Amino acid sequence: MNHSRSHSSSLDDNLTTSSSHHSSTQSHSPGYKPFHLQQLCPPIAGIKSIESLAVWGNTIYVGTSDGILIIYDVIYERPKRVFHSGASESQKLFSLELQQRKSFSKKAITQLCAVSELSMLISLSDGIIRLHTLNYLNEMDKGLRNDKGVMKNCTMFALKKHQNEWRLVVTFKKKKISLLKWHPKENTFKWVQDLTMPDVVKKLAWADENVLVGFKREYFLVHSSQNKPPHVVFNANGGGSSQYECDCKVLPNEMLICQTGLYVVISHEGAAGRHRPITWGEQPAALAYLNPYLVGALSNYLEVVLLTKNRVTPRLQIIPLEGVTCISQPNYVDLDEKQIDEGQGVGYPLSKVDPDDPVIPEFRTFLAAKNALYILCMNQFFIQARELQDKGRFKYALQLCDIVEGTKYEVETWRVNTIHMEYGYHLFAKAEYEKAMMEFNETDSDPRMVLALFGDIFPCNSRTDSQVVGLPEKTRQGLRHLENPKNKRDALNALIQYLSCRRIPAQKASHGDDEVIGEAIDTSLLYALLLNEDEYMSPLLENDNRCNIADSENILDKCRKYKELVLFYKTKQLHAKSLALLKAHGEKTHPDRDYHELDGVAPTIQYLRDLQDADLIQRFSRWVLKKEPLKALEIFTREYSPFEIDDILELFESIEDGQVMSMKIGYLEYKIHEKDSMDADLHNTLILLYLNYLQSDNVENECFDKEDISDRLIEMLKESDYYHPEKMLSKFPPNDLFLERAILLGKIDRHDQALMYYIHKLDRTDLAEEYCVERYDENNMSTRDIFITAIQLYLQPPEGKEPRIEDVIRLLVQHYDKIDIIKALQLIPDDIYLKNLEFYLQEVLREHVQKRRRKLVMKNLARSENMQVQEQYILERQRHVKIRVNKTCPVCKKAIGSSAFALDPNGVVTHFVCHKRA
């Protein structure tokens, strides 16, 4: 409890500062008239004063201090002439018809509550709560009872309906309250429990499941459904005496509590609500709530306060009326049927709102002042919104429209759009461009009306004339702000956000006005981005858009945005224009030679790589192939090409003064080495291109030197397995390119000729030896004696040359294990000294001895293993098993008997048939 009091002190601090703003806040009041007040009848004769009021549909119950109950029928007289500006002060829309007047009680009727669902009138008189039927005032209960009998000395009650359960809370002159529950079978409220309070209760109201109890100096929240002790909301006056009385009013989701004359807003759980309290000229005698308005009955007038989600607008309307004693809103909350009046029990529901009515007949409350009856009725919401709009209070008008959105009181869409547009014009004239565009974006109005605000900034095809759209005069004057560079930049930034939100997707089918509007939006957005040098211009252009081609082309060209113009052409499928522009910049034939972002062939290459039009590729790739042929090959080296290989090679052939062979070689190398092509024709063609390149005398303009091409040819001949070596061999000259011929001969297994080229033509013993090592296979008849063939060639040189004995001996020594010693010795001339063969013979003999010993070891190991197997076999044959009469097979569970059986290594005996099946 101490914690709650410390919390209340912080609220006191806020109240001190808030009250100082009261006068300044009033000056910002929108100053319109949402309510119409009408006197229903003059002061009622024969009574002292009116103490209480209750309403049931079109019936009003008046309780007096004399104990008389007067019943009137309320008649709504719809005017013959339709009013669209609300009801005038002198206009009579309602009248009363006396239904009944009877002596209801001996003493004053201090409280009345009409409950239509129960067809019941609850009254408090002479300290006793009685129940009567609504129709005929038949008595249902002479007095509510507790555990001790009829409850007496009652001072007030509050009713609540939640989940079809009715609960009543009653206060007494003593320090306690009682909780009661409705029992439909017995047609009365039954006592549940009493709760002791710290002081005499002054005010009482339901706040959801809690009961708000007001005392002289503080307020309590009592938990009715949980076993929790009551806790203090906060101290009302901070101690000491005060001229202000305890007062409270429960609203949907929040409640008002009077503290030092100010009404603090808190939640139904007691937490702090709105930052600022609600201020009044004086403490109201009574309060009424008609969403979103709070009406306070002061001594000389009614004061209307506007309550929105985050704002309180005081002194919205002042209605002269003196001496209000009571208001018809009962202390009753319906949490199950929350309409726009949030269960405050006012008015009667209508199925739909008639737009020709100047007021909302169901949105009303009745008041008693100096024994006369009055009705306070709300004007139609659209009339209120229009009045605010006419006075330039656009924000208040839109707040009002938001409150009733989705209800039967909803303001028409066209009217809401008009308010947004006028508010946007108003903000634009004040140079609040971002806020203005937010308002424009809330409407579905033609965006060209917004573009008209920018005068001649945008192309004529993208805007409408300002006279046509009817801009307000004040807005036209505000357009002078755009002459300031900073204001213009800020306005364009805001416009960019607006147009981005209003874009119509290019993929969406559109006709007529939508197509024109979509074109105007995208073209203007492009121009705005261009003027502001915005980085998001490229994303707009490279994606589908509705930009006007002529306007956009003209704008981008004038602003030297050639790179963006290429993107625009590409998106619009104007590839020929785009490629022509790239060619002009790449070849430096464009008039604007100071622009360098599109220099060279790279932009054109990238563009053509993304293109599938074969004709355009052939047409615009020629200048690239001629200028940088190898780099231009990237156009054709992509995943999916619209060309066949022959078409590409034919295109290369057609390039005049071009590096044709280099382009062909580069392209075929890409297909073979990078794409792993196994096409024999491609391999053959590439080899012939290498050959022609080496044999040609006119390669000065080509990209490769002959030494590089020679290395590529040799590697190709060695590594490739897909060309035709016999066919290629016939293409190579017999008196040149011996190494290449040797490789080809080796591919077709003509080893003797290949070795002849290595040994006699090239004099490359290293290559001959390498060839022999690669081809040797002791299991292949054709290559088993390849070293013998090499020895023969060494010993049988061409005419005029000596046998190469040293090479023969070196070959014998290094590869003695691959050479048949008998055949080799038969070839060696007789005049060779044995000493020269000493090392060779030693190695050969050593190898033979090692082989013999190795074979003897293997023979002995095999013999030993065989003996072990024989011994194991004998031992296994010596095993025996006894088959007794009762021996059964573990598989079939039958006796073994004399049947054939099988013995497993683990000693298990089964039928032979069962063993095979298992």
Side-chain angles (χ1 to χ4, degrees):
M1 191 171 292
N2 291 334
H3 175 72
S4 299
R5 294 183 185 275
S6 64
H7 171 66
S8 68
S9 63
S10 65
L11 291 173
D12 293 338
D13 297 337
N14 289 336
L15 295 179
T16 306
T17 57
S18 299
S19 60
S20 63
H21 295 286
H22 178 57
S23 59
S24 62
T25 309
Q26 292 179 17
S27 62
H28 297 286
S29 173
Y32 70 107
K33 298 178 179 180
F35 286 100
H36 168 71
L37 180 68
Q38 178 193 331
Q39 185 179 26
L40 293 174
C41 67
I44 303 173
I47 64 171
K48 290 182 180 179
S49 64
I50 298 175
E51 294 291 329
S52 58
L53 297 173
V55 179
W56 173 43
N58 291 326
T59 304
I60 180 170
Y61 299 83
V62 182
T64 70
S65 59
D66 308 292
I68 298 173
L69 181 66
I70 306 172
I71 306 174
Y72 292 100
D73 285 336
V74 182
I75 301 172
Y76 172 60
E77 300 174 356
R78 178 180 173 183
K80 295 180 181 179
R81 185 168 60 89
V82 177
F83 292 87
H84 291 290
S85 59
S88 64
E89 295 182 3
S90 61
Q91 191 175 6
K92 304 296 183 182
L93 300 176
F94 298 90
S95 62
L96 289 183
E97 184 178 303
L98 180 62
Q99 184 188 108
Q100 188 177 353
R101 177 172 177 156
K102 64 178 292 186
S103 294
F104 190 74
S105 174
K106 294 180 180 180
K107 294 189 177 182
I109 306 172
T110 56
Q111 191 173 350
L112 288 172
C113 180
V115 186
S116 59
E117 290 187 51
L118 302 178
S119 297
M120 177 176 63
L121 179 67
I122 307 174
S123 63
L124 173 58
S125 177
D126 195 16
I128 298 176
I129 300 175
R130 297 180 176 87
L131 308 180
H132 292 78
T133 60
L134 280 172
N135 289 327
Y136 303 105
L137 297 180
N138 295 327
E139 193 172 63
M140 299 169 60
D141 196 322
K142 294 181 179 181
L144 298 183
R145 300 171 179 271
N146 56 18
D147 58 338
K148 297 179 182 179
V150 177
M151 295 188 298
K152 298 181 180 180
N153 298 319
C154 301
T155 56
M156 70 186 75
F157 65 84
L159 180 65
K160 177 193 74 170
K161 177 195 173 189
H162 184 45
Q163 297 178 350
N164 286 325
E165 182 179 276
W166 299 84
R167 285 181 174 270
L168 194 70
V169 59
V170 182
T171 64
F172 301 88
K173 292 182 180 179
K174 295 182 180 180
K175 302 176 182 180
K176 73 169 184 176
I177 63 173
S178 293
L179 297 175
L180 298 92
K181 182 179 179 182
W182 175 254
H183 285 254
K185 291 184 178 179
E186 300 183 34
N187 233 19
T188 189
F189 288 94
K190 290 289 187 178
W191 174 83
V192 177
Q193 63 175 330
D194 289 335
L195 295 175
T196 303
M197 297 289 107
D199 200 351
V200 177
V201 177
K202 300 292 185 181
K203 286 289 181 179
L204 183 72
W206 282 100
D208 284 346
E209 293 297 325
N210 304 322
V211 180
L212 177 63
V213 182
F215 306 106
K216 187 175 182 180
R217 299 252 193 304
E218 57 190 3
Y219 296 86
F220 272 28
L221 271 179
V222 179
H223 302 276
S224 62
S225 59
Q226 294 118 338
N227 296 322
K228 295 181 180 180
H231 72 272
V232 178
V233 178
F234 60 78
N235 187 286
N237 301 308
S241 61
S242 173
Q243 59 176 328
Y244 299 103
E245 296 181 2
C246 170
D247 192 17
C248 62
K249 180 69 176 177
V250 175
L251 308 180
N253 306 317
E254 57 188 359
M255 51 191 176
L256 310 178
I257 294 176
C258 180
Q259 184 181 22
T260 62
L262 302 177
Y263 280 75
V264 179
V265 184
I266 61 175
S267 70
H268 287 173
E269 290 74 33
R274 301 172 188 266
H275 179 65
R276 291 182 179 177
I278 300 174
T279 58
W280 306 90
E282 60 184 72
Q283 184 174 2
L287 292 173
Y289 177 68
L290 292 160
N291 190 19
Y293 301 104
L294 187 66
V295 181
L298 279 62
S299 58
N300 296 319
Y301 55 86
L302 302 178
E303 183 176 329
V304 180
V305 173
L306 174 62
L307 293 179
T308 54
K309 186 174 182 181
N310 299 314
R311 189 183 182 92
V312 176
T313 307
R315 300 182 69 82
L316 187 70
Q317 182 182 5
I318 301 298
I319 306 172
L321 183 62
E322 297 183 7
V324 175
T325 56
C326 62
I327 294 180
S328 63
Q329 289 195 0
N331 205 348
Y332 157 49
V333 177
D334 186 349
L335 299 177
D336 292 343
E337 300 292 337
K338 288 189 176 182
Q339 302 298 329
I340 196 165
D341 62 346
E342 300 292 351
Q344 293 297 313
V346 298
Y348 52 93
L350 298 173
S351 59
K352 61 187 269 188
V353 178
D354 190 340
D356 291 332
D357 280 334
V359 296
I360 309 175
E362 63 177 327
F363 246 58
R364 66 194 181 168
T365 188
F366 295 89
L367 305 94
K370 297 182 178 181
N371 292 349
L373 292 179
Y374 295 83
I375 183 171
L376 185 68
C377 197
M378 190 188 298
N379 290 324
Q380 289 273 22
F381 281 105
F382 76 85
I383 294 176
Q384 299 179 48
R386 188 176 59 200
E387 184 181 355
L388 287 166
Q389 178 185 357
D390 293 341
K391 292 185 176 182
R393 301 291 186 172
F394 305 107
K395 185 181 295 186
Y396 289 98
L398 292 173
Q399 285 180 353
L400 199 63
C401 295
D402 288 341
I403 290 171
V404 297
E405 185 179 2
T407 70
K408 59 187 176 184
Y409 312 100
E410 185 172 19
V411 180
E412 300 97 319
T413 302
W414 68 267
R415 191 180 299 277
V416 177
N417 286 345
T418 302
I419 298 172
H420 277 296
M421 288 301 293
E422 289 192 16
Y423 189 26
Y425 290 145
H426 172 74
L427 292 170
F428 195 91
K430 294 169 59 179
E432 297 183 24
Y433 305 114
E434 187 173 351
K435 292 181 180 179
M437 295 302 163
M438 290 174 63
E439 295 303 323
F440 294 143
N441 195 40
E442 292 293 329
T443 76
D444 54 4
S445 302
D446 191 336
R448 291 175 295 177
M449 298 173 67
V450 178
L451 295 175
L453 293 170
F454 291 83
D456 297 330
I457 292 179
F458 292 102
C460 58
N461 291 336
S462 303
R463 56 184 169 83
T464 59
D465 186 70
S466 60
Q467 298 294 334
V468 176
V469 299
L471 291 178
E473 184 61 31
K474 187 181 293 186
T475 305
R476 288 200 189 95
Q477 295 175 2
L479 297 181
R480 298 193 188 98
H481 291 299
L482 295 179
E483 296 174 2
N484 182 298
K486 181 182 182 303
N487 286 344
K488 182 179 178 181
R489 184 172 59 256
D490 293 342
L492 288 173
N493 280 329
L495 181 66
I496 288 168
Q497 297 299 322
Y498 167 73
L499 293 176
S500 299
C501 295
R502 293 302 303 271
R503 290 189 67 201
I504 301 174
Q507 299 84 358
K508 181 180 177 181
S510 58
H511 306 283
D513 289 345
D514 283 348
E515 187 171 352
V516 175
I517 291 172
E519 183 179 284
I521 291 173
D522 282 9
T523 307
S524 300
L525 177 58
L526 170 62
Y527 199 23
L529 291 169
L530 188 62
L531 292 175
N532 258 23
E533 299 181 355
D534 199 294
E535 60 182 0
Y536 294 105
M537 180 169 54
S538 293
L540 170 67
L541 294 173
E542 65 189 9
N543 294 298
D544 289 339
N545 59 74
R546 296 176 179 268
C547 294
N548 180 274
I549 294 176
D551 283 345
S552 303
E553 184 178 22
N554 186 41
I555 293 166
L556 292 169
D557 187 69
K558 283 184 178 179
C559 295
R560 302 179 70 240
K561 294 292 183 180
Y562 304 116
K563 183 178 179 181
E564 289 74 12
L565 183 55
V566 169
L567 278 176
F568 176 69
Y569 283 146
K570 185 176 182 180
T571 306
K572 293 295 184 180
Q573 303 296 313
L574 301 173
H575 301 300
K577 281 191 172 186
S578 186
L579 289 166
L581 182 61
L582 288 172
K583 180 182 179 182
H585 282 280
E587 293 184 328
K588 285 299 180 183
T589 59
H590 193 275
D592 190 352
R593 298 191 178 185
D594 295 331
Y595 186 86
H596 300 292
E597 288 190 46
L598 298 178
D599 287 355
V601 299
T604 301
I605 291 173
Q606 185 58 47
Y607 194 102
L608 291 173
R609 280 179 62 86
D610 299 332
L611 203 60
Q612 289 295 326
D613 191 323
D615 292 337
L616 285 176
I617 295 175
Q618 285 188 353
R619 176 181 166 190
F620 287 98
S621 64
R622 291 179 176 277
W623 75 271
V624 184
L625 289 167
K626 192 171 182 179
K627 188 171 184 179
E628 292 192 37
L630 293 185
K631 200 168 185 180
L633 293 179
E634 296 178 15
I635 300 171
F636 308 97
T637 57
R638 56 178 176 170
E639 192 67 29
Y640 302 103
S641 175
F643 297 99
E644 297 293 335
I645 296 175
D646 292 340
D647 297 334
I648 296 173
L649 298 178
E650 186 178 341
L651 174 63
F652 294 160
E653 285 282 356
S654 67
I655 304 298
E656 296 180 3
D657 300 328
Q659 300 171 352
V660 177
M661 283 195 292
S662 297
M663 290 188 288
K664 286 184 176 182
I665 289 172
Y667 178 71
L668 291 177
E669 285 181 341
Y670 162 78
K671 297 296 289 185
I672 292 172
H673 300 318
E674 294 189 28
K675 305 307 288 185
D676 299 324
S677 174
M678 295 182 290
D679 189 339
D681 290 338
L682 292 186
H683 288 250
N684 291 337
T685 303
L686 180 58
I687 291 173
L688 292 177
L689 279 171
Y690 287 146
L691 179 61
N692 293 336
Y693 198 100
L694 294 174
Q695 292 177 333
S696 175
D697 296 328
N698 186 21
V699 293
E700 292 81 3
N701 296 327
E702 297 290 344
C703 302
F704 311 110
D705 56 38
K706 288 190 175 183
E707 185 178 351
D708 181 28
I709 292 297
S710 177
D711 293 340
R712 296 187 188 190
L713 174 59
I714 292 170
E715 184 180 3
M716 181 73 177
L717 293 173
K718 287 182 178 180
E719 301 296 333
S720 176
D721 295 325
Y722 302 107
Y723 64 90
H724 299 141
E726 300 94 338
K727 186 176 181 181
M728 292 299 102
L729 187 61
S730 64
K731 303 293 183 180
F732 279 71
N735 299 320
D736 195 7
L737 302 176
F738 298 131
L739 177 57
E740 288 79 357
R741 290 184 64 83
I743 295 172
L744 289 170
L745 289 167
K747 286 282 186 178
I748 57 178
D749 294 335
R750 289 159 67 173
H751 307 299
D752 52 345
Q753 295 182 36
L755 287 171
M756 185 270 294
Y757 274 99
Y758 286 125
I759 296 172
H760 297 320
K761 297 289 184 181
L762 296 171
D763 195 19
R764 294 289 300 275
T765 58
D766 56 332
L767 293 178
E769 183 178 351
E770 180 181 338
Y771 181 87
C772 291
V773 172
E774 288 177 356
R775 298 297 193 280
Y776 172 77
D777 183 1
E778 65 177 342
N779 299 317
N780 190 333
M781 292 293 294
S782 62
T783 58
R784 179 187 301 172
D785 293 330
I786 194 168
F787 284 96
I788 298 296
T789 303
I791 292 173
Q792 288 177 337
L793 290 170
Y794 281 130
L795 295 175
Q796 298 174 5
E799 186 176 353
K801 292 187 177 182
E802 295 293 330
R804 303 170 69 167
I805 301 299
E806 294 181 358
D807 291 327
V808 170
I809 294 173
R810 178 181 54 78
L811 202 64
L812 289 171
V813 171
Q814 291 183 356
H815 303 284
Y816 61 88
D817 56 336
K818 300 180 181 68
I819 300 173
D820 188 325
I821 187 173
I822 303 299
K823 292 180 180 180
L825 292 176
Q826 289 176 350
L827 294 175
I828 295 174
D830 296 336
D831 56 352
I832 293 179
Y833 291 105
L834 189 61
K835 184 177 180 180
N836 295 335
L837 300 174
E838 180 182 3
F839 182 79
Y840 164 68
L841 294 173
Q842 288 178 352
E843 293 297 326
V844 169
L845 291 174
R846 186 181 297 111
E847 175 66 19
H848 278 278
V849 171
Q850 288 179 353
K851 284 183 178 180
R852 183 174 181 279
R853 288 176 179 175
R854 194 178 301 114
K855 290 179 179 179
L856 285 174
V857 171
M858 295 299 296
K859 177 182 177 182
N860 291 331
L861 288 173
R863 181 182 296 172
S864 175
E865 183 179 6
N866 182 53
M867 292 179 65
Q868 291 176 1
V869 171
Q870 289 292 333
E871 182 181 1
Q872 184 68 27
Y873 174 72
I874 294 171
L875 291 175
E876 291 294 332
R877 287 184 61 84
Q878 290 178 353
R879 291 181 63 189
H880 65 279
V881 62
K882 293 182 179 181
I883 306 298
R884 295 183 172 84
V885 178
N886 59 350
K887 186 71 173 178
T888 59
C889 174
V891 177
C892 64
K893 309 301 181 184
K894 294 180 181 179
I896 300 293
S898 58
S899 302
F901 64 89
L903 176 64
D904 291 333
N906 58 3
V908 177
V909 179
T910 59
H911 285 120
F912 184 73
V913 176
C914 295
H915 183 271
K916 289 180 67 177
R917 291 174 181 174

